[in-house]
Amino acid sequence: MGLASLPSVSCSPTAPVHPENAVVLGALLPFSGSESAIGRNLEQAMLLAVEDLNAAGGLDGRPFDIVSRDSHSSSKRGLDQLLALLYLDDVHYLIGPEENELARGISPDVKALDRFQMLPGYAAPAAERSETMGGWIRLAPSPLAVGCALAKYAIHENIDTVNTLAARDDYNASVSREFTSHFVALGGRVLPSVTFTSGELTYTSKIESAFEPNAGRTLLAAYPATASTIVTEWTVSGRPGTWLLGPALRAEALFANIPAGSLDGYFGVSPSLSLRSECQLVDEAQETVSCTTGNASAFIERFSSRWSGEAPFPAAHFYYDGVVLTAMGLVYAQAKSGSLPSSGHELQTIIRELNNPANDVASWRDLKSAMTSLRAGVPLRYAGAAAEYEFDRYGASKHYFMQKWTIDSETFVDLAPVPVTCETDE
């Protein structure tokens, strides 16, 4: 493992003093490097969750706490920090990482040590198999759900043909693949698509190849830094064709280095932050959905009041929930057996069982009541800042709606949600 080379101190920029006897959750976040804009915001969401949980009594009086390390937005350096969390900090409950490649890289160690890993990130690996060692919970919608929603939107807009310009990383490649396969299943036709490697100096030839078939829509599946270069070169080349935007592009960083207004009027989908109970199918034939946003708005207000007016990124809602779900599992386990789960696999099973739709609901807005009931051994499912959770047998959260949005004057504007009703193999 090369443990002797691992850094010995936390890389959180705040370097807090941790309370004694705390139940420590470890987090790997991009505090520096190309993804640094999101790291602090996600940590703030997790710290807020810890504050709310401790105000609700913690784990029978023991406080929860976070130890954070910096991924540096780098696979190599980030993996070193993940290993440090597991082997030096001896963290048993891991939140993240945000980066897909890092999450895959650490999974053998999580399994070997039988630790628990909560995966709130959009690009987290899919949960597709049962394990007897290690436990994983995935919170954000899968690429299948994203691809389904994108395909349904395209079909409802009477688009006959699509193709994709997609990065070769696991997440964006999966979104591209699910989008095209669902589009074909719904009666559309897929034209030749183009892939690329992030970090190239220019994408001019890739852009030309992607728009040469004249598809009705071309899905841009990439992360913001690379997409900014592509959109700038596309603008310079005369803006051929019409984009459809992948979920990773709903980020303010996208606008930093593109010509003003160049993406105004284009559409995309990303995870809906409305609870399932806040949504209803208005027209079943047209699959028209109406959702209210009171729950998400309340969390935004709570977050902003705590952090001097700063708003949470959409992903921060999931990171808050990741901390709370982990804590709920631990509190309930101790109430039922008198001890904490002995393995990551056991904790994953407990969290899945707690979030059975038959159980009464506990809201993030009243964690004091929720923790009191859990300490009494009452099972509760969680209505969080991002979703009302229900998990499949592998630990992946089930999502029934995705949020459609457009761009107007470099501002993301929410539109009507899209239902996720495509067939799966499950």
Side-chain angles (χ1 to χ4, degrees), residues 48-405:
L48 181 60
V50 164
E51 289 181 8
D52 291 347
L53 289 165
N54 290 342
L59 180 66
D60 288 343
R62 290 179 62 188
F64 290 98
D65 196 22
I66 300 290
V67 56
S68 300
R69 286 181 176 267
D70 186 4
S71 71
H72 302 280
S73 305
S74 163
S75 296
K76 174 60 174 68
R77 298 177 71 184
L79 185 58
D80 288 344
Q81 293 293 331
L82 274 172
L83 292 170
L85 282 168
L86 292 177
Y87 293 98
L88 296 182
D89 300 323
D90 195 28
V91 164
H92 285 248
Y93 318 110
L94 186 64
I95 311 291
E98 182 71 5
E99 299 88 344
N100 179 290
E101 187 174 352
L102 287 176
R104 289 189 182 279
I106 201 64
S107 62
D109 295 88
V110 172
K111 182 176 180 179
L113 296 171
D114 205 358
R115 302 288 169 85
F116 175 76
Q117 187 173 18
M118 179 69 69
L119 296 166
Y122 292 2
E128 297 175 339
R129 60 185 181 184
S130 298
E131 299 281 4
T132 58
M133 294 286 289
W136 290 266
I137 292 285
R138 190 188 195 282
L139 298 188
S142 66
L144 185 149
V146 174
C148 172
L150 285 166
K152 281 183 169 293
Y153 163 72
I155 291 295
H156 288 166
E157 291 296 308
N158 297 315
I159 296 166
D160 297 322
T161 60
V162 301
N163 70 344
T164 70
L165 178 57
R168 294 192 184 102
D169 63 86
D170 288 341
Y171 179 67
N172 286 298
S174 296
V175 168
S176 172
R177 182 171 59 252
E178 295 290 354
F179 167 58
T180 53
S181 63
H182 287 305
F183 188 75
V184 169
L186 292 169
R189 186 162 62 98
V190 175
L191 300 180
S193 296
V194 177
T195 61
F196 61 85
T197 302
S198 297
E200 296 178 15
L201 293 177
T202 180
Y203 299 94
T204 302
S205 63
K206 302 290 188 181
I207 295 168
E208 292 176 353
S209 298
F211 287 107
E212 186 177 359
N214 293 316
R217 292 288 189 278
T218 296
L219 172 66
L220 179 56
Y223 292 115
T226 299
S228 295
T229 301
I230 290 173
V231 170
T232 299
E233 293 184 338
W234 166 78
T235 303
V236 171
S237 67
R239 296 164 52 109
T242 306
W243 291 118
L244 190 57
L245 304 174
L249 298 183
R250 181 158 182 163
E252 299 297 330
L254 177 65
F255 302 134
N257 298 301
I258 64 174
S262 55
L263 288 180
D264 281 5
Y266 290 102
F267 295 87
V269 301
S270 58
S272 171
L273 296 179
S274 292
L275 302 182
R276 187 182 182 188
S277 58
E278 293 181 307
C279 297
Q280 59 179 346
L281 199 60
V282 177
D283 186 326
E284 187 171 356
Q286 295 297 319
E287 293 191 321
T288 304
V289 179
S290 175
C291 295
T292 59
T293 58
N295 186 70
S297 297
F299 179 73
I300 292 169
E301 182 178 352
R302 170 80 175 96
F303 186 102
S304 298
S305 65
R306 175 61 182 86
W307 301 112
S308 303
E310 186 173 346
F313 293 150
H317 295 239
F318 287 101
Y319 273 80
Y320 179 96
D321 289 347
V323 174
V324 174
L325 281 163
T326 304
M328 288 178 67
L330 294 173
V331 170
Y332 182 74
Q334 182 151 293
K336 296 297 287 184
S337 67
S339 62
L340 295 180
S342 60
S343 70
H345 177 72
E346 182 183 352
L347 180 55
Q348 189 249 32
T349 301
I350 291 168
I351 292 173
R352 287 194 294 109
E353 292 175 350
L354 279 178
N355 288 277
N356 186 314
N359 292 337
D360 288 338
V361 68
S363 171
W364 69 272
R365 303 193 211 196
D366 189 9
L367 289 181
K368 184 175 181 179
S369 295
M371 290 300 160
T372 298
S373 295
L374 289 167
R375 290 188 198 103
V378 178
L380 298 173
R381 59 188 174 91
Y382 179 52
E388 209 164 349
Y389 289 98
E390 176 187 355
F391 298 99
D392 67 16
R393 65 180 182 270
Y394 304 118
S397 178
K398 298 181 180 181
H399 290 263
Y400 298 89
F401 304 99
M402 296 289 292
Q403 183 65 56
K404 186 172 67 176
W405 45 266

Side-chain angles (χ1 to χ4, degrees), residues 399-414:
H399 290 263
Y400 298 89
F401 304 99
M402 296 289 292
Q403 183 65 56
K404 186 172 67 176
W405 45 266
T406 189
I407 297 174
D408 182 14
S409 301
E410 299 191 352
T411 300
F412 294 106
V413 179
D414 286 338

Side-chain angles (χ1 to χ4, degrees), residues 7-61:
S8 59
V9 296
S10 171
C11 290
S12 170
T14 53
V17 176
H18 302 289
E20 293 185 7
N21 199 35
V23 181
V24 177
L25 285 67
L28 186 78
L29 297 167
F31 293 118
S32 60
S34 60
E35 303 298 324
S36 60
I38 197 172
R40 178 174 174 272
N41 194 272
L42 299 183
E43 187 186 45
Q44 287 173 323
M46 297 174 70
L47 293 173
L48 181 60
V50 164
E51 289 181 8
D52 291 347
L53 289 165
N54 290 342
L59 180 66
D60 288 343

